[in-house]
Amino acid sequence: MADTTTPAHTASGALDLGELHGSLTDPVLDAMNFLNEVVARFPEAISFAPGRPSEGTFEPEDLARHLRSYSDHLEQERGWSRDQVRTQLFQYGRTNGVIHDLIARTLANDEDIHVSPESVVVTTGCQEAMLLSLRALFARPEDTLLVSSPCYVGVTGAARLLDIAVRPVTEGAAGPDPDAILAAVREIRAEGGRPRALYVVPDFANPSGASMTVAARERLLEIAAQEDLLVLEDDPYGFFVREGSARPTLKALDRERRVLHLGSFSKTALPGARVGYVVADQEVVGPTGERTLLADQLSKIKSMTTVNTSAISQAVIGGLLVESGYRLREANAAAIDYYRGNLNALLAELERHFPAERRQELGVEWNRPDGGFFLVVRVPFVADTKALECSARAYGVLWTPMGDFYLDGGGDRQLRLSCSSLSMDEITEGIGRLAAFITDQAAEAAG
Amino acid sequence: MADTTTPAHTASGALDLGELHGSLTDPVLDAMNFLNEVVARFPEAISFAPGRPSEGTFEPEDLARHLRSYSDHLEQERGWSRDQVRTQLFQYGRTNGVIHDLIARTLANDEDIHVSPESVVVTTGCQEAMLLSLRALFARPEDTLLVSSPCYVGVTGAARLLDIAVRPVTEGAAGPDPDAILAAVREIRAEGGRPRALYVVPDFANPSGASMTVAARERLLEIAAQEDLLVLEDDPYGFFVREGSARPTLKALDRERRVLHLGSFSKTALPGARVGYVVADQEVVGPTGERTLLADQLSKIKSMTTVNTSAISQAVIGGLLVESGYRLREANAAAIDYYRGNLNALLAELERHFPAERRQELGVEWNRPDGGFFLVVRVPFVADTKALECSARAYGVLWTPMGDFYLDGGGDRQLRLSCSSLSMDEITEGIGRLAAFITDQAAEAAG
């Protein structure tokens, strides 16, 4: 094994961190790094920290089957020759992807989103979809991205890479608040900025677990049209309903092509494939009146970020879509039950350890999301990485400090719990440990 | 199939191309788009245009074998449990990749590059390696990227996405010229800029086919140390020697960690996997003196571009490396012979159609690269996309106009020929057609 490092290295040859891009010293990125470190240092702790999906019944051999399903689809349904299939799997491919049509078909079945395959850009995970969308839409220093706060760090981090101005808008109990967004849009404009787009997770948001009502979705689309604002809708958790029924995505309600719909197969298929997409069916008008789709413009950017998404990964996801009959929601029936069961168990265990009177006495509260992977617990002490370290070391339980998800401060007495990759026993045992930690910390804070 | 587009779309809802990011109206990106269009419009033409690798003996079933080889490696050589293997293939993974150690081992065998696995960042193709490197290193508006010109559009395009200033330095017959680079560094500094890094392809460059002598490599490293310049070395074609023997990469000669070595498996394994890497073993010193590797910093950026490289793609490439005994150069023996044969045939056919006297008379010349996929033909007429269209329509032969590779004008009477994915018969027939096209165009230009 070659692990000898190049020998002599002069002091002058070292790089100064302060001379590298500002994103590298951004507190949020540093916080996430530190968080990962803490989690890695306590592998034996029960972890409510990561939002990773359950591995369900996945087996490595499934990959070969999905690849075969995709090849068979090309040969049998499309009449491709074996040589064409070989080239598709081996070579450089279409920048915007080769399973765009299968994705469009699945979106029509699952989400009642009806778009042309040409408006679907297949990306290296949803993260690249964010990066491409932000790069295309943000041209000038005054262009501002609004985010519902607390906010998923993937989008604020991508904005930081591109030096894009970000304005957080505080979320309500029912998720992003259209009227607060409208007020922020007007404020930004009054300050000389240009509100360009809003990033929003309408269903079971990461980190808060909150969801928008259908009325709030409709109101948000009205505001977007009126204020010339685009909406970046990210919906990785929408399938995973605990209570009530699934609500229409913003894209399904979008009549004026105000919404870029960002999608991920990491929760509904497998994260290891790194396949996501963005639906960008907006029209773009060039200087001489020529019309293209925003997806065509994103293609130009994608050719300079990753050239195209792995043909092998696309074939795996493509095969999985073919096998599901282009109905991924149905294919996720067992996963939906599993996450529902876990979230219910998490809520029940919290209730068991902190019944109404007890939590009032301690100053502990939590929300009860209608689905997804996450909920937020409010505690009467500072829940930062230091507290996390104590929780891991002395109580054997991990969680995520909420402060990292707020750009404008706040959230320092909140912690995020994820239950997406734990067994029932781990949830029971873990919440027991967490309850002990919270109780002790609360007593210390009170004393 | 769902191909109904959302119906009503008001004129006011369309986006103005001029309001999107400037990269989208960059002439180079537009030129490449137009070029792809022309190529796509003439599928029956013999194409010397794309630099795509030969598909060799690849079969779709190989993917399943590579996946198995990688799983077996984890279970047998590392003693992993089946559950650990399953998680590795299914889940989110280490941001900087999971086959970094296999790559470091292969680099030691193939290139005499000895670096710690931790300095290797596995990327979604070499394009992402460029993007991450540029984003980390370029912090201020005055930071300037030098490129040897003519230049691969992947790097100038990535720089354009990040609004990085680029300075072309004209290449000589023996590739990038260290003294011209030194002069440019001083000029940039005199103008108030900060020369931050140089992008260079030392072996059989795309598009020129030119290579640096070993002396020029050593001189360039001296200049880099003296002028505090980093070198982004891109070496996708180094294995494919036609004449002479392989030369050491800049990284193999790098004693002061001045070189970031960018790598690709697209030419030596398969482009469909989209796996590349960057060796970034530079030390970075933080504000309180803490030391990290540049690779650790790139990891922060990668978490905001693609999160991590597809585990499935990495497993395919990892399996292929395992099967090769970590000696990819040897595994490429047949490919090396194939490309050598093709380039020799291309040169022989050009010579046959344009013997010395004839080419002097017409004003036609070409270079004779020692390896790689490309050579450049100088012609006595403007070889632009209009000429290409005529060549395709009337003569059935495609090539790439060189003008698109020059940032500062020039190259308008040059065309690039690639012979990497053609059969001998296609080369013979194609050069016959090209000779007719060149002869007719030269006569027209003379007349």
Side-chain angles (χ1 to χ4, degrees), chain A residues 155-172:
Chain A
V155 71
T156 48
R160 188 71 191 80
L161 283 194
L162 301 174
D163 297 312
I164 292 172
V166 177
R167 170 74 60 106
V169 183
T170 305
E171 183 173 287

Side-chain angles (χ1 to χ4, degrees), chain A residues 129 132-134 137 197 230-234 251 254 257-262 278-282 294 298, chain B residues 15:
Chain A
L132 303 180
S133 303
L134 291 178
L137 297 176
L230 290 161
V231 178
L232 304 178
E233 172 184 49
D234 189 7
K251 190 65 194 166
D254 182 27
R257 304 196 203 182
R258 284 282 154 198
V259 179
L260 281 77
H261 182 76
L262 305 165
V278 49
V279 176
D281 62 348
Q282 286 70 24
L294 181 56
L298 295 181
Chain B
L15 301 167

Side-chain angles (χ1 to χ4, degrees), chain A residues 19 90 140 194 267 272, chain B residues 19 90 92 140 194 267 272:
Chain A
E19 296 293 315
F90 177 90
R140 307 191 224 146
R194 185 165 70 147
K267 277 65 179 192
Chain B
E19 295 294 312
F90 178 88
Y92 291 105
R140 305 190 225 144
R194 184 164 73 146
K267 278 55 178 203

Side-chain angles (χ1 to χ4, degrees), chain A residues 15 19 53 58-59 61 82 86-87 90-92 135 140 161 194 267 272 283 285 310-311 313, chain B residues 15 19 53 55 58-59 61 82 86 90-92 135 140 161 194 267 272 283 285 300 310-311 313:
Chain A
L15 301 167
E19 296 293 315
F58 173 80
E59 292 295 335
E61 290 70 25
R82 187 170 163 86
R86 177 168 51 211
T87 297
F90 177 90
Q91 278 292 5
Y92 292 104
R135 178 62 307 169
R140 307 191 224 146
L161 283 194
R194 185 165 70 147
K267 277 65 179 192
E283 275 196 315
V285 183
S310 164
S313 288
Chain B
L15 301 167
E19 295 294 312
E55 287 163 38
F58 173 80
E59 292 294 337
E61 289 72 24
R82 188 172 161 82
R86 178 168 48 209
F90 178 88
Q91 277 292 6
Y92 291 105
R135 178 64 307 170
R140 305 190 225 144
L161 282 194
R194 184 164 73 146
K267 278 55 178 203
E283 276 196 315
V285 183
K300 294 187 201 170
S310 162
S313 287

Side-chain angles (χ1 to χ4, degrees), chain A residues 74-127:
Chain A
L74 294 179
E75 290 186 30
Q76 289 157 22
E77 274 195 60
R78 299 207 200 166
W80 284 29
S81 71
R82 187 170 163 86
D83 274 359
Q84 285 175 301
V85 173
R86 177 168 51 211
T87 297
Q88 172 106 318
L89 289 171
F90 177 90
Q91 278 292 5
Y92 292 104
R94 182 174 174 271
T95 305
N96 275 358
V98 292
I99 59 166
H100 54 305
D101 52 341
L102 307 185
I103 294 173
R105 209 160 151 177
T106 307
L107 279 173
N109 289 333
D110 283 345
E111 304 287 358
D112 204 20
I113 293 176
H114 300 275
V115 292
S116 78
E118 284 63 41
S119 66
V120 177
V121 182
V122 188
T123 56
T124 305
C126 188
Q127 188 63 37

Side-chain angles (χ1 to χ4, degrees), chain B residues 55-235:
Chain B
E55 287 163 38
T57 57
F58 173 80
E59 292 294 337
E61 289 72 24
D62 294 345
L63 298 177
R65 191 184 73 245
H66 297 321
L67 287 168
R68 242 184 355 258
S69 299
Y70 183 66
S71 300
D72 289 351
H73 161 80
L74 294 179
E75 291 187 29
Q76 289 157 21
E77 275 194 58
R78 301 206 196 165
W80 284 28
S81 70
R82 188 172 161 82
D83 272 359
Q84 285 175 301
V85 173
R86 178 168 48 209
T87 296
Q88 172 104 319
L89 289 171
F90 178 88
Q91 277 292 6
Y92 291 105
R94 181 175 174 270
T95 305
N96 275 358
V98 292
I99 59 166
H100 53 306
D101 52 341
L102 307 185
I103 293 173
R105 209 161 153 178
T106 306
L107 279 173
N109 290 333
D110 284 344
E111 303 286 359
D112 205 20
I113 293 175
H114 301 274
V115 291
S116 78
E118 284 63 40
S119 66
V120 177
V121 183
V122 188
T123 55
T124 305
C126 188
Q127 187 65 36
E128 192 192 24
M130 290 181 200
L131 186 75
L132 302 180
S133 304
L134 291 178
R135 178 64 307 170
L137 298 176
F138 289 77
R140 305 190 225 144
E142 61 268 31
D143 289 350
T144 304
L145 174 70
L146 294 99
V147 301
S148 185
S149 175
C151 183
Y152 174 54
V153 294
V155 71
T156 47
R160 188 70 191 82
L161 282 194
L162 301 173
D163 297 312
I164 292 172
V166 177
R167 171 73 60 109
V169 183
T170 305
E171 182 173 285
D177 173 355
D179 290 301
I181 290 160
L182 176 59
V185 162
R186 289 177 176 166
E187 261 172 50
I188 291 165
R189 223 167 252 141
E191 293 161 10
R194 184 164 73 146
R196 196 71 172 118
L198 164 75
Y199 171 84
V200 70
V201 183
D203 293 311
F204 326 129
N206 177 7
S208 72
S211 296
M212 296 175 80
T213 63
V214 177
R217 291 169 202 232
E218 277 166 351
R219 176 77 184 122
L220 178 61
L221 291 173
E222 264 173 44
I223 290 169
Q226 167 197 317
E227 298 293 328
D228 196 19
L229 190 71
L230 289 162
V231 178
L232 304 178
E233 172 183 49
D234 189 7
D235 194 40

